[in-house]
Amino acid sequence: MGAPDDAIREELIGAVLGELSLLRRDVKDLSQLLEASGKQFKDDGELTLLRYASRHEQFLKQFSESSADVLAQAVSFAQARDQLLGEISLRQYDEANGRSRQLLRDVLREAGWSNRSALTRFELAAWMGGAALVSAAVTLGAFALLHGLL
């Protein structure tokens, strides 16, 4: 009975060794697959990082361009506002100058100076200088008021 037991034992050992050989081959294949998957994962990660960096740079570029556009629009708006304030100031100056001339004419009529030759050049220059100063003061006041409101 010893021989058949040895034969069975040898067959079992052979079967176990065969299974171990198959298992070793499967482990080797699995190891290669895991290594290939790891390399692919690393490559995909690097590609994703490159894409992210590219999109980040593109976003920064677009943000920079839009910021420049906003700043240009702000400068344009400031220039338009200054031009509008200048035009309003000129209109105020013209109105104040016209009013001062009319007041001067009214004063001269009330004083009985219907003849312009009765007024000397010096007096006329003094009246016009005073009217111009009053007109300039009113214009500057209007400009300061409008600038303070805007």
Side-chain angles (χ1 to χ4, degrees), residues 89 92-94 96-97 99-100 129-145:
S89 297
Q92 291 294 326
Y93 173 78
D94 289 342
N97 194 14
R99 283 192 301 259
S100 65
L133 287 174
V134 168
S135 174
V138 168
T139 300
L140 287 175
F143 182 73
L145 179 68

PDB file of all heavy atoms in Angstrom, residues 89 92-94 96-97 99-100 129-145:
ATOM      1  N   SER A  89     -20.828 123.889 -18.096  1.00  0.00           N
ATOM      2  CA  SER A  89     -20.171 125.088 -17.572  1.00  0.00           C
ATOM      3  C   SER A  89     -20.180 126.211 -18.597  1.00  0.00           C
ATOM      4  O   SER A  89     -20.421 127.373 -18.256  1.00  0.00           O
ATOM      5  CB  SER A  89     -18.738 124.775 -17.161  1.00  0.00           C
ATOM      6  OG  SER A  89     -18.719 123.837 -16.128  1.00  0.00           O
ATOM      7  N   GLN A  92     -23.626 127.644 -18.756  1.00  0.00           N
ATOM      8  CA  GLN A  92     -23.863 128.481 -17.576  1.00  0.00           C
ATOM      9  C   GLN A  92     -23.130 129.814 -17.706  1.00  0.00           C
ATOM     10  O   GLN A  92     -23.663 130.859 -17.353  1.00  0.00           O
ATOM     11  CB  GLN A  92     -23.414 127.755 -16.298  1.00  0.00           C
ATOM     12  CG  GLN A  92     -24.254 126.564 -15.932  1.00  0.00           C
ATOM     13  CD  GLN A  92     -25.658 126.966 -15.551  1.00  0.00           C
ATOM     14  OE1 GLN A  92     -25.874 128.018 -14.967  1.00  0.00           O
ATOM     15  NE2 GLN A  92     -26.624 126.130 -15.898  1.00  0.00           N
ATOM     16  N   TYR A  93     -21.909 129.761 -18.228  1.00  0.00           N
ATOM     17  CA  TYR A  93     -21.132 130.980 -18.423  1.00  0.00           C
ATOM     18  C   TYR A  93     -21.836 131.900 -19.422  1.00  0.00           C
ATOM     19  O   TYR A  93     -21.982 133.101 -19.183  1.00  0.00           O
ATOM     20  CB  TYR A  93     -19.725 130.645 -18.922  1.00  0.00           C
ATOM     21  CG  TYR A  93     -18.921 131.858 -19.297  1.00  0.00           C
ATOM     22  CD1 TYR A  93     -18.321 132.646 -18.319  1.00  0.00           C
ATOM     23  CD2 TYR A  93     -18.782 132.233 -20.634  1.00  0.00           C
ATOM     24  CE1 TYR A  93     -17.595 133.768 -18.666  1.00  0.00           C
ATOM     25  CE2 TYR A  93     -18.056 133.356 -20.984  1.00  0.00           C
ATOM     26  CZ  TYR A  93     -17.466 134.121 -19.996  1.00  0.00           C
ATOM     27  OH  TYR A  93     -16.759 135.235 -20.343  1.00  0.00           O
ATOM     28  N   ASP A  94     -22.289 131.316 -20.542  1.00  0.00           N
ATOM     29  CA  ASP A  94     -22.979 132.127 -21.544  1.00  0.00           C
ATOM     30  C   ASP A  94     -24.255 132.750 -20.973  1.00  0.00           C
ATOM     31  O   ASP A  94     -24.541 133.928 -21.216  1.00  0.00           O
ATOM     32  CB  ASP A  94     -23.312 131.286 -22.780  1.00  0.00           C
ATOM     33  CG  ASP A  94     -22.077 130.926 -23.593  1.00  0.00           C
ATOM     34  OD1 ASP A  94     -21.041 131.589 -23.405  1.00  0.00           O
ATOM     35  OD2 ASP A  94     -22.172 129.985 -24.415  1.00  0.00           O
ATOM     36  N   ALA A  96     -24.943 133.347 -17.764  1.00  0.00           N
ATOM     37  CA  ALA A  96     -24.587 134.346 -16.759  1.00  0.00           C
ATOM     38  C   ALA A  96     -24.045 135.611 -17.428  1.00  0.00           C
ATOM     39  O   ALA A  96     -24.363 136.737 -17.002  1.00  0.00           O
ATOM     40  CB  ALA A  96     -23.553 133.778 -15.797  1.00  0.00           C
ATOM     41  N   ASN A  97     -23.260 135.448 -18.475  1.00  0.00           N
ATOM     42  CA  ASN A  97     -22.727 136.600 -19.197  1.00  0.00           C
ATOM     43  C   ASN A  97     -23.868 137.382 -19.847  1.00  0.00           C
ATOM     44  O   ASN A  97     -23.892 138.609 -19.805  1.00  0.00           O
ATOM     45  CB  ASN A  97     -21.717 136.130 -20.245  1.00  0.00           C
ATOM     46  CG  ASN A  97     -20.891 137.254 -20.802  1.00  0.00           C
ATOM     47  OD1 ASN A  97     -20.868 138.339 -20.257  1.00  0.00           O
ATOM     48  ND2 ASN A  97     -20.210 136.992 -21.901  1.00  0.00           N
ATOM     49  N   ARG A  99     -26.997 137.407 -18.869  1.00  0.00           N
ATOM     50  CA  ARG A  99     -27.769 138.070 -17.793  1.00  0.00           C
ATOM     51  C   ARG A  99     -27.041 139.312 -17.288  1.00  0.00           C
ATOM     52  O   ARG A  99     -27.662 140.346 -17.030  1.00  0.00           O
ATOM     53  CB  ARG A  99     -28.012 137.095 -16.639  1.00  0.00           C
ATOM     54  CG  ARG A  99     -29.103 136.096 -16.913  1.00  0.00           C
ATOM     55  CD  ARG A  99     -29.496 135.360 -15.638  1.00  0.00           C
ATOM     56  NE  ARG A  99     -28.367 134.654 -15.050  1.00  0.00           N
ATOM     57  CZ  ARG A  99     -28.133 133.358 -15.162  1.00  0.00           C
ATOM     58  NH1 ARG A  99     -28.977 132.624 -15.841  1.00  0.00           N
ATOM     59  NH2 ARG A  99     -27.099 132.806 -14.599  1.00  0.00           N
ATOM     60  N   SER A 100     -25.715 139.210 -17.120  1.00  0.00           N
ATOM     61  CA  SER A 100     -24.978 140.373 -16.616  1.00  0.00           C
ATOM     62  C   SER A 100     -25.027 141.522 -17.618  1.00  0.00           C
ATOM     63  O   SER A 100     -25.148 142.688 -17.223  1.00  0.00           O
ATOM     64  CB  SER A 100     -23.533 139.993 -16.287  1.00  0.00           C
ATOM     65  OG  SER A 100     -22.846 139.627 -17.461  1.00  0.00           O
ATOM     66  N   GLY A 129     -15.795 144.327 -16.957  1.00  0.00           N
ATOM     67  CA  GLY A 129     -14.909 143.515 -16.113  1.00  0.00           C
ATOM     68  C   GLY A 129     -15.641 142.965 -14.910  1.00  0.00           C
ATOM     69  O   GLY A 129     -15.505 141.790 -14.554  1.00  0.00           O
ATOM     70  N   GLY A 130     -16.430 143.805 -14.273  1.00  0.00           N
ATOM     71  CA  GLY A 130     -17.224 143.345 -13.122  1.00  0.00           C
ATOM     72  C   GLY A 130     -18.230 142.290 -13.532  1.00  0.00           C
ATOM     73  O   GLY A 130     -18.420 141.281 -12.847  1.00  0.00           O
ATOM     74  N   ALA A 131     -18.882 142.510 -14.677  1.00  0.00           N
ATOM     75  CA  ALA A 131     -19.857 141.525 -15.165  1.00  0.00           C
ATOM     76  C   ALA A 131     -19.175 140.202 -15.492  1.00  0.00           C
ATOM     77  O   ALA A 131     -19.709 139.124 -15.206  1.00  0.00           O
ATOM     78  CB  ALA A 131     -20.572 142.079 -16.398  1.00  0.00           C
ATOM     79  N   ALA A 132     -17.972 140.276 -16.092  1.00  0.00           N
ATOM     80  CA  ALA A 132     -17.240 139.052 -16.413  1.00  0.00           C
ATOM     81  C   ALA A 132     -16.835 138.314 -15.143  1.00  0.00           C
ATOM     82  O   ALA A 132     -16.904 137.085 -15.074  1.00  0.00           O
ATOM     83  CB  ALA A 132     -16.012 139.374 -17.258  1.00  0.00           C
ATOM     84  N   LEU A 133     -16.416 139.043 -14.109  1.00  0.00           N
ATOM     85  CA  LEU A 133     -16.057 138.400 -12.841  1.00  0.00           C
ATOM     86  C   LEU A 133     -17.260 137.727 -12.198  1.00  0.00           C
ATOM     87  O   LEU A 133     -17.174 136.601 -11.697  1.00  0.00           O
ATOM     88  CB  LEU A 133     -15.430 139.417 -11.888  1.00  0.00           C
ATOM     89  CG  LEU A 133     -14.007 139.868 -12.229  1.00  0.00           C
ATOM     90  CD1 LEU A 133     -13.565 140.979 -11.275  1.00  0.00           C
ATOM     91  CD2 LEU A 133     -13.051 138.704 -12.156  1.00  0.00           C
ATOM     92  N   VAL A 134     -18.394 138.417 -12.202  1.00  0.00           N
ATOM     93  CA  VAL A 134     -19.620 137.827 -11.640  1.00  0.00           C
ATOM     94  C   VAL A 134     -20.012 136.596 -12.454  1.00  0.00           C
ATOM     95  O   VAL A 134     -20.377 135.551 -11.892  1.00  0.00           O
ATOM     96  CB  VAL A 134     -20.757 138.874 -11.599  1.00  0.00           C
ATOM     97  CG1 VAL A 134     -22.090 138.225 -11.295  1.00  0.00           C
ATOM     98  CG2 VAL A 134     -20.443 139.960 -10.585  1.00  0.00           C
ATOM     99  N   SER A 135     -19.935 136.705 -13.762  1.00  0.00           N
ATOM    100  CA  SER A 135     -20.278 135.586 -14.634  1.00  0.00           C
ATOM    101  C   SER A 135     -19.343 134.396 -14.386  1.00  0.00           C
ATOM    102  O   SER A 135     -19.788 133.247 -14.302  1.00  0.00           O
ATOM    103  CB  SER A 135     -20.192 136.036 -16.088  1.00  0.00           C
ATOM    104  OG  SER A 135     -20.389 134.949 -16.944  1.00  0.00           O
ATOM    105  N   ALA A 136     -18.048 134.664 -14.251  1.00  0.00           N
ATOM    106  CA  ALA A 136     -17.087 133.586 -13.983  1.00  0.00           C
ATOM    107  C   ALA A 136     -17.344 132.940 -12.625  1.00  0.00           C
ATOM    108  O   ALA A 136     -17.266 131.722 -12.469  1.00  0.00           O
ATOM    109  CB  ALA A 136     -15.658 134.122 -14.057  1.00  0.00           C
ATOM    110  N   ALA A 137     -17.681 133.755 -11.629  1.00  0.00           N
ATOM    111  CA  ALA A 137     -17.970 133.217 -10.294  1.00  0.00           C
ATOM    112  C   ALA A 137     -19.196 132.320 -10.329  1.00  0.00           C
ATOM    113  O   ALA A 137     -19.215 131.236  -9.733  1.00  0.00           O
ATOM    114  CB  ALA A 137     -18.141 134.356  -9.297  1.00  0.00           C
ATOM    115  N   VAL A 138     -20.227 132.751 -11.046  1.00  0.00           N
ATOM    116  CA  VAL A 138     -21.447 131.933 -11.160  1.00  0.00           C
ATOM    117  C   VAL A 138     -21.127 130.634 -11.902  1.00  0.00           C
ATOM    118  O   VAL A 138     -21.579 129.551 -11.513  1.00  0.00           O
ATOM    119  CB  VAL A 138     -22.563 132.731 -11.877  1.00  0.00           C
ATOM    120  CG1 VAL A 138     -23.727 131.831 -12.259  1.00  0.00           C
ATOM    121  CG2 VAL A 138     -23.047 133.871 -10.995  1.00  0.00           C
ATOM    122  N   THR A 139     -20.332 130.712 -12.957  1.00  0.00           N
ATOM    123  CA  THR A 139     -19.971 129.511 -13.719  1.00  0.00           C
ATOM    124  C   THR A 139     -19.164 128.541 -12.865  1.00  0.00           C
ATOM    125  O   THR A 139     -19.430 127.337 -12.865  1.00  0.00           O
ATOM    126  CB  THR A 139     -19.164 129.906 -14.969  1.00  0.00           C
ATOM    127  OG1 THR A 139     -19.964 130.767 -15.766  1.00  0.00           O
ATOM    128  CG2 THR A 139     -18.779 128.682 -15.773  1.00  0.00           C
ATOM    129  N   LEU A 140     -18.176 129.039 -12.152  1.00  0.00           N
ATOM    130  CA  LEU A 140     -17.374 128.174 -11.288  1.00  0.00           C
ATOM    131  C   LEU A 140     -18.218 127.549 -10.190  1.00  0.00           C
ATOM    132  O   LEU A 140     -18.050 126.381  -9.840  1.00  0.00           O
ATOM    133  CB  LEU A 140     -16.202 128.948 -10.689  1.00  0.00           C
ATOM    134  CG  LEU A 140     -15.064 129.272 -11.661  1.00  0.00           C
ATOM    135  CD1 LEU A 140     -14.019 130.149 -10.967  1.00  0.00           C
ATOM    136  CD2 LEU A 140     -14.428 128.007 -12.174  1.00  0.00           C
ATOM    137  N   GLY A 141     -19.138 128.320  -9.651  1.00  0.00           N
ATOM    138  CA  GLY A 141     -20.042 127.767  -8.629  1.00  0.00           C
ATOM    139  C   GLY A 141     -20.910 126.659  -9.198  1.00  0.00           C
ATOM    140  O   GLY A 141     -21.104 125.608  -8.572  1.00  0.00           O
ATOM    141  N   ALA A 142     -21.442 126.878 -10.412  1.00  0.00           N
ATOM    142  CA  ALA A 142     -22.267 125.852 -11.049  1.00  0.00           C
ATOM    143  C   ALA A 142     -21.442 124.609 -11.362  1.00  0.00           C
ATOM    144  O   ALA A 142     -21.881 123.482 -11.151  1.00  0.00           O
ATOM    145  CB  ALA A 142     -22.892 126.407 -12.331  1.00  0.00           C
ATOM    146  N   PHE A 143     -20.228 124.811 -11.834  1.00  0.00           N
ATOM    147  CA  PHE A 143     -19.335 123.672 -12.137  1.00  0.00           C
ATOM    148  C   PHE A 143     -19.019 122.896 -10.869  1.00  0.00           C
ATOM    149  O   PHE A 143     -19.059 121.674 -10.864  1.00  0.00           O
ATOM    150  CB  PHE A 143     -18.054 124.183 -12.798  1.00  0.00           C
ATOM    151  CG  PHE A 143     -17.115 123.068 -13.168  1.00  0.00           C
ATOM    152  CD1 PHE A 143     -17.385 122.231 -14.242  1.00  0.00           C
ATOM    153  CD2 PHE A 143     -15.965 122.827 -12.430  1.00  0.00           C
ATOM    154  CE1 PHE A 143     -16.525 121.209 -14.573  1.00  0.00           C
ATOM    155  CE2 PHE A 143     -15.105 121.806 -12.753  1.00  0.00           C
ATOM    156  CZ  PHE A 143     -15.393 121.000 -13.835  1.00  0.00           C
ATOM    157  N   ALA A 144     -18.706 123.595  -9.796  1.00  0.00           N
ATOM    158  CA  ALA A 144     -18.391 122.931  -8.528  1.00  0.00           C
ATOM    159  C   ALA A 144     -19.623 122.175  -8.013  1.00  0.00           C
ATOM    160  O   ALA A 144     -19.508 121.054  -7.522  1.00  0.00           O
ATOM    161  CB  ALA A 144     -17.908 123.934  -7.507  1.00  0.00           C
ATOM    162  N   LEU A 145     -20.789 122.763  -8.148  1.00  0.00           N
ATOM    163  CA  LEU A 145     -22.027 122.108  -7.696  1.00  0.00           C
ATOM    164  C   LEU A 145     -22.298 120.857  -8.514  1.00  0.00           C
ATOM    165  O   LEU A 145     -22.604 119.798  -7.975  1.00  0.00           O
ATOM    166  CB  LEU A 145     -23.197 123.103  -7.799  1.00  0.00           C
ATOM    167  CG  LEU A 145     -24.562 122.551  -7.387  1.00  0.00           C
ATOM    168  CD1 LEU A 145     -24.565 122.271  -5.881  1.00  0.00           C
ATOM    169  CD2 LEU A 145     -25.657 123.514  -7.739  1.00  0.00           C
TER     170      LEU A 145
END
